[in-house]
Amino acid sequence: MWVFHAGKEPRNNLGDWAAYHIPSPEGAEGYWVHATKDREMARRADFGMMVWDGASPGTAVNVLRLAIANKPCVIYDLARGSMATTYNVGDWCAMLRHAGPDIRRQAEARMMPDERLALPG
């Protein structure tokens, strides 16, 4: 297990796992502080485990990155009290149907162009 972090120290590392610092681009603010770290984390992962509040567009984009690479991701949806596993972009789209169009729009605003291209029409 690894913990990736953009700040000086990980925000959470209860397992005392190996920590990898992925610095943010200079001048990054808001979501973009974590975007580079999140992309690298998905690139290196074999699978994902996410706790999702059913509304976080950042978590939704991270699940999509894994889905694009056909890497499984187990998601515990706090809002619905359920668990699901995504394996591909179709599964990601099904996950987002429960969140509503506003969350999808927010997620798409955080995607890189190649990630948007992976979405169905």
Side-chain angles (χ1 to χ4, degrees):
M1 297 287 242
W2 305 322
V3 174
F4 289 77
H5 59 99
K8 289 184 179 185
E9 298 291 327
R11 292 181 288 174
N12 299 296
N13 189 357
L14 299 176
D16 198 30
W17 294 307
Y20 291 94
H21 179 245
I22 308 294
S24 303
E26 191 170 322
E29 295 180 4
Y31 165 78
W32 299 105
V33 168
H34 300 284
T36 302
K37 176 247 325 163
D38 290 345
R39 283 192 301 276
E40 182 63 15
M41 185 171 47
R43 188 186 72 75
R44 291 190 194 189
D46 295 322
F47 64 92
M49 291 177 26
M50 310 267 181
V51 177
W52 189 42
D53 61 5
S56 168
T59 301
V61 173
N62 288 335
V63 173
L64 174 65
R65 289 181 180 123
L66 293 166
I68 289 169
N70 294 308
K71 297 176 181 181
C73 183
V74 175
I75 302 111
Y76 178 67
D77 185 335
L78 290 169
R80 301 181 69 223
S82 63
M83 290 185 71
T85 302
T86 57
Y87 297 94
N88 54 47
V89 175
D91 293 341
W92 181 84
C93 290
M95 177 189 97
L96 264 281
R97 276 188 218 113
H98 300 293
D102 192 47
I103 301 304
R104 179 159 175 162
R105 278 192 296 278
Q106 290 175 36
E108 287 181 15
R110 295 174 180 209
M111 292 176 193
M112 300 303 289
D114 61 318
E115 294 164 346
R116 275 189 218 97
L117 288 173
L119 300 177

